[in-house]
Amino acid sequence: MYYDSNTGLNKMKRYYFDQPTTDKFVEFLMTQAEVIAPQKKGDASYSYEVVTSGKDIVYDYPRTIQPLKKYFLPPRETLLSFDSKNNEFKKTDIALNNRIFFAIHSYEMQGIKRLDYSFTQGNPEFNYLQRRENSIFIGISFNPDKWHFTKSVGISIEEVERFSLYFEPVDNGFLVFEVDDTGKELISKFGNGLSLDASMDFEVREKEFKTKIKYHYNRLPQVFEHVYNSKVWSDIAQKCVGCGTCNLLCPTCYCFDVRDEVELEISKGKRERFWDGCMLNEFAEVAGGENFREKLSSRTRHRLHRKFKYITDHSGELHCVGCGRCTKYCPANISIVEIINNLIEEYSDHQKEQII
Amino acid sequence: MKKDLNINVHHLTRVEGHGNIVVDMKNGVLNKSELHIVEAPRYFEAMLKGRNFHEVAITTSRICGICSLGHQLTSLKATEVALGLEISEQTEILRKILVDGATFQSNILHALFLATPDFLNVGSVFPLINTHKEVVLAALRLKRLANDIGDLISGRAIHPISCVPGGFTKLPTEKELSDLKEKLIKEGIPDAEFAVEVVASLADKIPTFERETEYISVYNDKEYGFYDGVICSSDSGLIPVDNYLEITNEFIVSHSTSKHAKFNRSSYMVGALARFNNSHKLLNPLAQKVAEKLGLVAPNYNPYMNTVAQVVEVAHCIENTIGLIDMLLDRGIKNEKPNQEPTKYGRGIATTEVPRGILFHDYTYNRKGLIEKANCVIPTGQNLANIDDDMKKLVPEIIEESKEDITKKLEMLVRAYDPCISCSVHMLEVDFIE
Amino acid sequence: MSKPKVAFFDFTSCEGCQLNKLNLENDLLSILELVDIVEFREAMDDKADEYDIAFIEGSISTPTCVERIHDIRRRTKILVALGACAVNGGINAMKNLYPADWVKEEVYGEDKYLFPSIPVQPVSALVKVDYEIRGCPMSTPEFLHVLKSLVLGRKPESFDYAVCVECKLKENECVLDKGMFCLGPISRAGCDAICPSNGQYCTGCRGLVSNINENGAVDMLKQHGFSEKEALNRMRLYCANDIEN
Amino acid sequence: MENTAIEKQDLYYPMMSEIVKVETLTNLEKRFEIALPDNQILGHLPGQFVEVSIFGYGEAPISICSSPTKMPNFDLTVRNAGKLTDKMHSMKEGSKIGIRGPYGNGFDVTKFEGKDILFVCGGIGLAPLKSLIDYTIAKRQKYGRIIILYGTKNPSEILFKEDIKMWQGSKEIEFHMTVDKPDEYWKGNTGVITTLIPPIDLDISNTIATVVGPPIMYKFVIMSLKGKRMPDENIYLSLERRMKCGVGKCGHCQINDTYVCQDGPVFHYPHAKQLEEAI
Ligand SMILES: Cc1cc2nc3c(=O)[nH]c(=O)nc-3n(C[C@H](O)[C@H](O)[C@H](O)COP(=O)(O)OP(=O)(O)OC[C@H]3O[C@@H](n4cnc5c(N)ncnc54)[C@H](O)[C@@H]3O)c2cc1C
Ligand code: SF4
Ligand code: SF4
Ligand code: SF4
């Protein structure tokens, strides 16, 4: 899971882009495909948006509000439109534009990788997979803030898996690494006639993560074998208000709800799906009023188990990528790392007791 | 001559709120001719006590759905005076656009949807969809356009969202503003001109009746008095806003959950006609032309002409909004945050013209920024005594007509004031005892 | 199938919800294709004896209201509570926080008996309410959704989850994050998070989500710098009847 | 994504099918016979379900209550519980509805061959089990005893009265039923369904028990079966959860790490026992 980043990048061909070259590169990308990149949103937030002017791109950003999943599993999506008078329905056209996702962080890319797994398992899902076609990803490194803990879940800042190119900021510009053939092709198309000094040495500077999980990520599934009945869940439930933010903004959460809505011309309408979340009250309620996860403690437990155990048991990967969104945006300031560390503590106490 | 007459209109329709008209004449003596306000009291001023300054305008906006914007702005202004919050020029321009939009919306609603059916002898606007589809469509477009103004500038036309103490939490973009301006020019003005034609063709249906009274409105020597200014009385001239209690002199009458008001005479009038009579010289050129076309000349003493004055104001508001948008576009939209750091705590009094007339909010804040004392004086309340006086003069003048016609004329009279009954019952002054 | 007969009634309220319907200018004509509006005092003179669907705006706050609402319930097949005032008492219910007699006396002095007033109650406290449209004012898309659903003869969707959900779906910058107050995490959705989307905070006008963690909510607001007193006070703006302690 | 075979493009798209017969069973339940387009055969196993779809009203998972041996049409028994089910109740012969499926695992009928089968059905739980009951009756010689225990709240909720008459009259089937609250005409057993279990004589090592009913029923039925020393391996349950997609994507039906729509709704008890949230 965890690549030695130094060797990873060191083997790759690289180029130096100063800022004007970078701007030109963005312009070039925009001629190739729709470019999507982080931009400012509100006072102190960011979001991935379609680029209309290279000036809007923010290269140094902590994280966006919504993860990149919004481009593959939109928050609100029409599954089909119908005409009930004639008993007909139309599948929705999913536009197949080429898209380049630019200035993406490693954990975000890994989030997409986890979603790929979830949407290809069992019944592969056409809507998602079709949106995933013709996507190119260009990575960029980031400076961890107090919410990131990607390293604790085995994802380094310089993890380049699934990127085509990777940008590392250096003085007055970027070192651009050629990760795969698509990246190579892009550079050669763009670089025609430009002198892109490629000889620069590069050494990864270790960046400090302020937030850490106490155990190595390899041991987390094992911890989760033993904490199902932990007290930690009910402790968290005292604070949690069940707003669902942690589900909705998580890059690897993908649960949804489906609703039909008709137009004022009552026979026409559409079937839409929306992001949903297991933290919400009605998520597991059935006709007759039975709610299979009524307590907030059981909901948080389910959420965490989906990140660290249930899917992990099948995919072999943790389904938390350490982006820190669920913590940063939780109105009740509930920290996922704190939950895990508390679970670890309880688990290790328990282990000690067993030894004695 | 008829000696006895008894009219009791229970829950007058096509007005906002609940009111009854009661006329009682025995042996030629008029015992009673009153508008009974039976709306349930809501005790807003009491509820305001202890509310944080962020919540005050949100609460007072709920006094009335129709004038929610007027309450909101007046409330914000009073809060800003009390807490010493300066607002920017941009905020002021945006607020003026909002006042124009709200007046435009409300006047169209009243003139075309609520009052016009009377002139055409139908019970509501709905039958007109079949008989006068073009008019209804134009009216709907105008109303939508007016609401678009509120939606764009404050997030929602009813109970606005983004205008808060000290400024706006969200600003329109320049593109949105210039699109709105386009629409006002391309759609708004032609539709308004069409509406004026329609009203002109109905002019002979407007009852002739005159009763001179005192006209009170906001006055401002730079522009038609809407957003801000001093108090103007046609009897005694200009009066500072802080002295509003000298004018309103509220008193309780048993037939109304809303208090009545009087100043120099037994009653006074507020609203479109009062504004027109006091400020007509400051109307925009388009509105001046409309007034001329509709035969509205100041001073006008026919309360039924209030509806016509509203149409004149619609023209004014559209043209004025276009000018204000130009002003904003010239300056460019600046990304300003609301100024919400109080510099003092105390009393603040503010006035604004809402569609139905002059409105006062008067707050006292304590040192924690919580409301200690509040008073709101609402236009419909101020008009009630004047409506009763009008009825007293009108009933004997039309006593020879059928009871049905008399009832209709009385209903039309009350409707002409465009009374906003549900807000009028909130003009309740409460002193809190700690 | 004949068109359902629809009536609108107003009780103690600002009538903003009714007006909001008139603000459906673009859809008004299509609505009239779907239903027959048989009573709507704010806009028309007509009255009817029976209705298929009655929309009720406003809270119950006088003895006359009590009679009227029972009468309407008898005449209608379906009764929909429209807007915060009708659904949970809304802003009016703040009145209940004060001793009633004191308020009345302060306002009307010795004339206080002229105007009877009882504690503010939601419509559901007196008669069976089939469906609710929450909000202050009600949201027009939701009103349309309910109207269309009832014309289809189906149960409308209810939105028993937090405003935060809709806020996140729209990718708004969180106003709590900006140091403002917000009730979005515990208030019912269905408004499409219109207030946070306009940079303003959620005032909880749609009432609270069911099965709520009330202590957690107060703690949450405390963590954002609001005292327990302020937090509860501000929750009561629209939920005076629903907040216990 | 390169090289991903896009299979099943029609994951969420229903087949427009026809209701060919409607039969009122109780105040709340109706049985519908459904014909797929072009005489297609659904090809289900007993215990599987379909997603029923009515445009404007949504979708709902409904168990197939007829045996696969009945062809080409199949039956659904629907309780009026909300948006879609209410609309379905107002539909007549000839109406169109959408069908997706069959979904879920269903019962492994070959594994049951040669065994005695005990059916424990609570309320509407009889509907999903009916497909298995009918199947075992159709293939009668392959199975041992067929014992059906059926309990409802009150006599008015009894489903499939015709079939019950047949079961009661048949020598090849042992049928017992009970109601929680009898009315004045009720002559049979009264009491909850677990009261039917102790009196019956079972060859527990060769009996398969299949249990379907309301959520609270499972715990007690299993306790009774354990009381008869029924081994866990011989017990099968079918569980209900909220469900939207039916194809393992929407997340609603998860019991711990298990998707009811994929790995269920039929659960082998030793597996269900491992799932903390299951019963
Ligand atoms: C595998 C499976 C098999 C089923 N088989 C049958 C059957 O054979 N016959 C039958 O009548 N019913 C069956 N059900 C239950 C049926 O799916 C629900 O009653 C139905 O979804 C309600 O849909 P609605 O649109 O009518 O109600 P809605 O208006 O959507 O909701 C009414 C209530 O039902 C709840 N609900 C929503 N979705 C579901 C759901 N998937 N399951 C249960 N409750 C839900 C909601 O919480 C709500 O309170 C089955 C459910 C499952 C999961
Ligand atoms: S974001 Fe926080 S408060 Fe909201 S559901 Fe998640 S953990 Fe609970
Ligand atoms: S669980 Fe939290 S930290 Fe982990 S990927 Fe999801 S949102 Fe990010
Ligand atoms: S602004 Fe309010 S509603 Fe939106 S996410 Fe933040 S807390 Fe929730």
Side-chain angles (χ1 to χ4, degrees), chain A residues 236-237 239-248 278-280 296 299-300 303-304 325-327 329-336 339, chain C residues 162 164 168 185 220:
Chain A
I236 294 303
K239 289 175 71 189
C240 171
V241 296
C243 71
T245 294
C246 49
N247 286 140
L248 297 158
C278 60
M279 293 302 296
L280 301 172
L296 282 162
R299 289 183 236 159
T300 304
R303 173 168 79 90
L304 271 282
R325 284 187 177 94
C326 57
T327 306
Y329 297 111
C330 171
N333 287 333
I334 291 170
S335 151
I336 189 167
I339 300 178
Chain C
C164 280
K168 293 280 115 83
M220 166 192 85

Side-chain angles (χ1 to χ4, degrees), chain A residues 125 257 283 285 293 306, chain D residues 12 53 242 244 252 254:
Chain A
E125 201 209 85
D257 194 7
F283 188 78
E285 191 182 293
R293 253 177 255 112
R306 280 190 46 108
Chain D
Y12 303 126
S53 165
R242 193 184 183 106
K244 281 290 171 182
H252 285 271
Q254 269 202 323

Side-chain angles (χ1 to χ4, degrees), chain A residues 245 331, chain C residues 163-164 167-168 172-176 182-185 196 202:
Chain A
T245 294
Chain C
V163 173
C164 280
C167 200
K168 293 280 115 83
N172 290 331
E173 180 169 53
C174 177
V175 302
L176 272 178
C182 193
L183 290 178
C202 167

Side-chain angles (χ1 to χ4, degrees), chain C:
Chain C
M1 196 173 67
S2 67
K3 291 198 251 173
K5 290 207 239 359
V6 172
F8 298 98
F9 299 95
D10 47 344
F11 287 78
T12 304
S13 67
C14 77
E15 309 198 5
C17 293
Q18 303 217 43
L19 270 169
N20 224 359
K21 278 184 309 269
L22 291 177
N23 286 354
L24 284 161
E25 295 90 355
N26 297 338
D27 298 323
L28 212 55
L29 299 186
S30 318
I31 292 172
L32 293 173
E33 300 271 308
L34 284 184
V35 299
D36 272 333
I37 298 182
V38 293
E39 194 164 333
F40 187 174
R41 191 196 51 79
E42 264 212 346
M44 60 199 279
D45 296 349
D46 302 335
K47 295 206 157 92
D49 294 331
E50 278 184 347
Y51 341 101
D52 294 305
I53 309 169
F55 289 96
I56 310 292
E57 178 187 0
S59 344
I60 309 299
S61 77
T62 66
T64 357
C65 295
V66 176
E67 275 167 46
R68 252 181 90 221
I69 191 68
H70 280 112
D71 183 50
I72 294 166
R73 179 69 260 192
R74 276 191 289 274
R75 294 162 188 264
T76 187
K77 295 202 182 102
I78 297 173
L79 188 147
V80 185
L82 186 67
C85 296
V87 172
N88 70 350
I91 269 207
N92 299 317
M94 265 196 287
K95 178 193 109 173
N96 298 353
L97 301 173
Y98 302 92
D101 237 38
W102 174 77
V103 173
K104 269 192 269 182
E105 199 161 308
E106 282 304 306
V107 176
Y108 295 110
E110 59 198 34
D111 295 327
K112 69 176 173 178
Y113 298 108
L114 284 176
F115 314 113
S117 171
I118 57 175
V120 168
Q121 297 176 77
V123 174
S124 61
L126 288 129
V127 296
K128 177 171 173 260
V129 169
D130 297 294
Y131 304 109
E132 294 173 341
I133 302 176
R134 290 170 177 257
C136 180
M138 64 137 195
S139 90
T140 41
E142 191 183 6
F143 170 73
L144 284 178
H145 169 76
V146 170
L147 195 71
K148 287 181 295 189
S149 299
L150 296 183
V151 170
L152 272 173
R154 78 161 240 208
K155 199 179 87 188
E157 305 282 351
S158 65
F159 302 90
D160 198 0
Y161 48 76
V163 173
C164 280
V165 171
E166 290 175 336
C167 200
K168 293 280 115 83
L169 252 53
K170 290 176 96 174
E171 203 171 2
N172 290 331
E173 180 169 53
C174 177
V175 302
L176 272 178
D177 250 12
K178 293 201 281 189
M180 288 167 71
F181 180 87
C182 193
L183 290 178
I186 51 167
S187 302
R188 272 191 204 229
C191 54
D192 216 8
I194 186 168
C195 293
S197 303
N198 279 288
Q200 176 62 307
Y201 67 91
C202 167
T203 54
C205 74
R206 302 176 58 88
L208 303 176
V209 178
S210 54
N211 197 8
I212 187 107
N213 174 3
E214 200 177 299
N215 292 336
V218 172
D219 273 356
M220 166 192 85
L221 290 165
K222 277 210 296 231
Q223 291 194 52
H224 287 272
F226 305 93
S227 71
E228 176 162 346
K229 191 169 167 222
E230 179 173 7
L232 284 167
N233 200 28
R234 291 177 86 164
M235 279 186 213
R236 285 200 185 94
L237 185 66
Y238 279 101
C239 306
N241 282 346
D242 307 337
I243 304 270
E244 304 248 316
N245 45 17

